[in-house]
Amino acid sequence: MITLYDYELSVNCYKVRLLLNFLSVPHKLHSIDFFPGWEHKSEWFKEINPLGHIPVVDDDGYILRDSNAILIYLATKYDDGLKWYPTQQAELLGEVSQWMMFSEGTTNTASAARLHDSLGYEFDIDACRSGAHRLFRVLDEHLWFREQQNLPWLCSAEFPTLADLVIFPDVILSEEGGINRVSYPAIRRWTDRFRRLPSFSLMAGVLPAGTI
Amino acid sequence: MPALDLLDEGEPLVLRSLPIDASLEEVQRHLGGHEFSVHTGQNDQNPLFGLVPSDQNSFCYQNSASADPFAARFLLQPFSSTKTIIHGLVAPAPEEGDRLASLLHYNTQLTRFREEVESSISVSADLWLEDIHRPTHGRRGIVLSTADEIEVEVVKKWKAATDIAGFELRPAGTELPTFQPGAHIDLHLANGLVRQYSLINGPGEQGCYQIGVKLEQDSRGGSRFLHEEVQEGDRIAIAGPHNNFGLRRDTPRTVLLAGGIGVTPLLAMAQALDRTELGFTLHYFAQSTEHLAFQDRLGELGNRLRTHIGLGPEETMQTVEKTLGSYDHLSQVYSCGPPQMINAIRDTASSLGWPPEAVHYEYFKNEKTIDQLSAFEVHLARSGVSLSVDSGKTILEVLRANGVPLPSSCEQGACGTCEVAVLDGVPHHQDVYLNDSEHEAGNRIMTCVSRAHSKQLVLDI
């Protein structure tokens, strides 16, 4: 059985919950009192992850930290069709990896702005917001041209991949960091499609499809 | 909208709409002079085309005569004061196989155009606000957030009178807040100084601020910098507007007494009153007719303006006494000018029976010698903190040093920005912002200059 060390409001934990639910992998959540308890910095948790970060999964004793690593592991092991992380298709896998790298940028800007506004993290909020808008412009342009080719997702496949999954949470929660998405119609349509996927799971701040 | 045959026949190619972070006016201004290239499939042979405005929000191009007819229409959708969406159509539509390449081509063209527009306004704004003109010295230890600052461009600088320069300031990108007559703005100058200047705009004059700056012979750097260094095209950060010199607009007779550059807030008031049925007169005392500033605005006031040229202090006060007359419950007086003149006007009004609430004034500076000898405690009632104010330190400085943020502006007891309510204790007032009865009431204090006579002051913060 998989245990996910989890915090409801964490974007990175949400990514893992999304994939576990998409893949219908049985799991249990171990809630960490991230705020205000800072339990992820506690002695007992640092024995599991010396970095003091969540999420961490424990798959019958196999312990893995870092959301991207966890997602790659889960998708490779539990996705029978190998679609979320298409290890058998070199070009497609390259694209997926490229956009997973891109999500480092959205996490450091859009999600950082959200942490600044909601949890009081000390970031340069103006730099976070303008950085997020720069990335969102690139994302919106890319998605618009995908649509022109009848491709609904970030990568050249008819199905969503980890690329969509890791970028979606940063984007859908951006308004909690003061970054609105009025200028990005293609992004808004893409988030709508993503939220209509079967077994899609919500979190606080993420509304069902059809809303903004 | 003019008919464009090529666009109206058949299906044009609908381009990707692009939001631009700029006002409609900015985008229009750039679009008129920008050239785009037609997508032909052979990159080195793409002919250029420029768009011509066809109505306010639409720009067109049509070339039907040549062997390769081509037409384009760009529509500008104003989304907000800082965002405009550009929608484009071109005809003829390309073959299906060229469609994506064509869309990419025009998207690249429009993206470049967007960069051109945005770089003309926001890049310089960022540089300016963050790096160059931000005061860096310690005096303004607490800079209010950048959201409170507005970046403006000096679009006009002119000689308004002897030693007085007029400045017209227009915003880069945003809209200016509205304001009431008597309001002033803070100018954050590149030399690190912050100075207050009254707005002289009349009612309904939106979109720009106008101020008048007198070159002070003993300038501490503010007026000299503005006169000698600041040029048309320069960008300045401003804050405000703030209004500590409010105008009552329910008074049958308003007397405005202006001395020299003190005319600026009163000119805004006169223009506002001029649009009403209320009676008012602007008395303008100046050294010579060449010292009368903003003659065009003065001219509009007709016989509501009385100028008094070259009077000495005594003659000035005789004129003031005659003008004010005895108090009649239907009058209010507003004065602004040199401190000695305001002091004399207050004394005269008081001796003629004018109550303090009918006598309004704004000092541009506090000429009193500030006594900083006393030492006392301040207790902050809401914060539950007690702090000692030693001699040589102001209350404002002590509060800031202990992490209690308080806005301030002139820091010489003239502008009223750093006012705090007093709950207990006896203030030692040294400001020129509060009037005598307000000083006597003792329930407000200007923390930048005033101190305590009692051992402790309890402040409502």
Side-chain angles (χ1 to χ4, degrees):
Chain A
M1 179 72 126
I2 292 174
T3 300
L4 168 64
Y5 292 94
D6 178 58
Y7 178 58
E8 159 68 18
L9 297 180
S10 154
V11 168
N12 286 332
C13 293
Y14 178 49
K15 294 172 188 173
V16 179
R17 296 198 299 271
L18 275 171
L19 187 64
L20 287 168
N21 290 329
F22 279 135
L23 297 177
S24 305
V25 179
H27 62 278
K28 59 182 187 211
L29 300 178
H30 183 133
S31 246
I32 297 294
D33 180 12
F34 184 91
F35 186 87
W38 301 105
E39 196 179 358
H40 56 301
K41 301 292 182 193
S42 65
E43 289 306 318
W44 78 263
F45 189 74
K46 279 189 180 169
E47 281 176 28
I48 296 169
N49 179 0
L51 295 173
H53 291 165
I54 46 172
V56 171
V57 294
D58 180 343
D59 190 0
D60 286 333
Y62 175 73
I63 292 177
L64 206 57
R65 63 176 185 247
D66 194 305
S67 59
N68 278 349
I70 294 169
L71 292 168
I72 289 172
Y73 165 72
L74 293 175
T76 310
K77 184 165 182 182
Y78 294 101
D79 177 13
D80 296 335
L82 283 179
K83 288 180 169 171
W84 286 100
Y85 196 67
T87 49
Q88 303 298 314
Q89 304 174 60
E91 284 80 10
L92 185 56
L93 186 62
E95 285 181 51
V96 173
S97 305
Q98 171 186 291
W99 287 105
M100 286 181 82
M101 297 297 170
F102 181 88
S103 81
E104 291 291 310
T106 53
T107 301
N108 291 334
T109 54
S111 287
R114 175 175 169 267
L115 289 176
H116 173 278
D117 284 9
S118 58
L119 297 186
Y121 277 65
E122 289 187 6
F123 294 127
D124 180 345
I125 186 65
D126 292 339
C128 290
R129 289 184 185 143
S130 60
H133 281 296
R134 264 197 299 280
L135 295 174
F136 283 10
R137 277 189 171 179
V138 172
L139 191 62
D140 187 71
E141 180 179 61
H142 175 77
L143 287 165
W144 193 88
F145 281 98
R146 289 275 128 171
E147 288 176 343
Q148 297 304 310
Q149 301 165 71
N150 293 316
L151 292 169
W153 307 109
L154 276 168
C155 302
S156 305
E158 286 167 7
F159 45 85
T161 62
L162 286 188
D164 301 282
L165 188 146
V166 296
I167 294 173
F168 170 81
D170 292 336
V171 170
I172 199 71
L173 291 166
S174 71
E175 284 181 339
E176 294 188 1
I179 301 152
N180 75 47
R181 298 186 294 278
V182 293
S183 292
Y184 314 111
I187 289 182
R188 297 203 303 274
R189 292 189 292 271
W190 167 74
T191 60
D192 226 38
R193 289 193 289 277
F194 194 84
R195 284 180 289 176
R196 288 180 203 280
L197 289 169
S199 304
F200 171 77
S201 35
L202 296 171
M203 73 168 267
V206 179
L207 301 171
T211 57
I212 49 167
Chain B
M1 215 175 281
L4 294 176
D5 307 341
L6 276 171
L7 280 170
D8 297 330
E9 297 161 3
E11 291 257 305
L13 179 67
V14 181
L15 308 183
R16 175 172 176 245
S17 302
L18 218 60
I20 301 182
D21 288 339
S23 66
L24 176 65
E25 292 73 23
E26 286 289 336
V27 177
Q28 282 171 335
R29 194 162 65 76
H30 282 86
L31 198 51
H34 194 88
E35 285 196 314
F36 297 88
S37 74
V38 182
H39 183 247
T40 59
Q42 288 129 333
N43 273 341
D44 49 343
Q45 291 170 30
N46 290 340
L48 298 177
F49 66 97
L51 295 151
V52 180
S54 67
D55 64 35
Q56 200 198 353
N57 295 352
S58 145
F59 283 67
C60 295
Y61 171 85
Q62 175 154 268
N63 174 8
S64 42
S66 83
D68 295 308
F70 176 77
R73 178 184 286 148
F74 286 11
L75 297 161
L76 304 184
Q77 176 194 351
F79 186 85
S80 70
S81 63
T82 57
K83 197 184 285 294
T84 306
I85 304 172
I86 185 161
H87 304 277
L89 301 172
V90 298
E95 301 291 323
E96 192 51 39
D98 288 335
R99 190 172 164 276
L100 195 63
S102 200
L103 286 172
L104 274 166
H105 171 86
Y106 291 111
N107 185 63
T108 306
Q109 297 269 309
L110 279 167
T111 304
R112 281 192 200 141
F113 172 69
R114 168 162 78 182
E115 281 163 11
E116 176 193 312
V117 177
E118 292 182 352
S119 66
S120 78
I121 48 174
S122 59
V123 170
S124 53
D126 289 347
L127 258 182
W128 186 87
L129 276 177
E130 297 305 324
D131 300 330
I132 305 171
H133 287 217
R134 256 336 203 21
T136 48
H137 58 88
R139 182 167 170 262
R140 314 200 64 74
I142 291 170
V143 178
L144 301 175
S145 77
T146 44
D148 298 325
E149 285 187 4
I150 309 166
E151 193 209 354
V152 293
E153 181 182 335
V154 178
V155 292
K156 202 169 105 183
K157 176 185 179 182
W158 73 101
K159 185 176 175 181
T162 300
D163 287 344
I164 296 177
F167 291 86
E168 182 171 316
L169 311 172
R170 282 192 182 272
T174 53
E175 287 183 350
L176 292 173
T178 56
F179 60 93
Q180 295 295 314
H184 68 267
I185 52 173
D186 296 341
L187 260 61
H188 294 243
L189 300 173
N191 60 4
L193 294 174
V194 180
R195 288 289 179 267
Q196 292 76 43
Y197 294 99
S198 299
L199 300 171
I200 61 166
N201 297 44
E205 285 178 35
Q206 288 169 355
C208 76
Y209 289 153
Q210 285 198 359
I211 57 171
V213 178
K214 180 174 183 222
L215 178 62
E216 298 290 348
Q217 291 315 315
D218 58 345
S219 170
R220 290 185 291 155
S223 69
R224 188 165 301 281
F225 185 80
L226 280 161
H227 270 257
E228 294 174 3
E229 303 291 334
V230 174
Q231 302 298 332
E232 288 180 4
D234 285 359
R235 287 166 182 254
I236 309 182
I238 63 171
H242 315 287
N243 196 355
N244 302 321
F245 195 29
L247 172 68
R248 285 183 60 162
R249 281 186 266 190
D250 58 352
T251 311
R253 185 175 83 107
T254 299
V255 182
L256 306 172
L257 300 174
I261 190 61
V263 74
T264 49
L266 302 177
L267 186 54
M269 291 181 180
Q271 294 172 104
L273 290 170
D274 203 24
R275 298 283 178 90
T276 68
E277 300 292 312
L278 300 169
F280 77 95
T281 312
L282 170 61
H283 293 266
Y284 189 175
F285 297 82
Q287 286 176 47
S288 74
T289 49
E290 288 75 41
H291 284 82
L292 293 171
F294 307 110
Q295 304 255 6
D296 47 335
R297 291 180 185 271
L298 294 176
E300 298 285 314
L301 298 173
N303 62 3
R304 314 275 209 146
L305 170 74
R306 304 280 157 74
T307 55
H308 307 278
I309 304 298
L311 303 186
E314 277 184 26
E315 296 164 295
T316 300
M317 291 328 295
Q318 284 161 10
T319 311
V320 167
E321 199 170 335
K322 242 187 293 170
T323 305
L324 287 179
S326 56
Y327 180 63
D328 61 6
H329 299 278
L330 299 173
S331 303
Q332 300 277 323
V333 59
Y334 297 78
S335 70
C336 187
Q340 303 84 341
M341 178 178 167
I342 300 178
N343 293 340
I345 288 171
R346 288 168 62 195
D347 291 344
T348 303
S350 172
S351 66
L352 289 168
W354 288 62
E357 60 269 21
V359 183
H360 312 267
Y361 51 87
E362 182 166 70
Y363 286 90
F364 280 167
K365 55 185 170 193
N366 184 358
E367 295 206 325
K368 290 181 187 170
T369 311
I370 306 296
D371 175 3
Q372 291 204 323
L373 275 178
S374 58
F376 53 95
E377 290 266 309
V378 286
H379 179 71
L380 313 184
R382 282 195 238 171
S383 321
V385 175
S386 288
L387 302 167
S388 335
V389 181
D390 298 329
S391 47
K393 293 266 181 213
T394 68
I395 300 176
L396 184 67
E397 283 166 354
V398 171
L399 292 180
R400 286 182 174 176
N402 288 281
V404 182
L406 206 59
S408 72
S409 186
C410 75
E411 297 188 5
Q412 50 171 298
C415 76
T417 308
C418 64
E419 176 181 315
V420 168
V422 177
L423 301 175
D424 195 20
V426 185
H428 171 204
H429 295 291
Q430 306 197 68
D431 64 280
V432 289
Y433 176 73
L434 299 174
N435 66 29
D436 293 342
S437 56
E438 289 164 339
H439 280 162
E440 230 164 89
N443 53 9
R444 299 151 73 190
I445 189 169
M446 298 303 130
T447 53
C448 65
V449 290
S450 297
R451 309 182 71 80
H453 283 309
S454 52
K455 284 208 170 120
Q456 194 192 47
L457 275 186
V458 182
L459 303 179
D460 188 18
I461 48 174

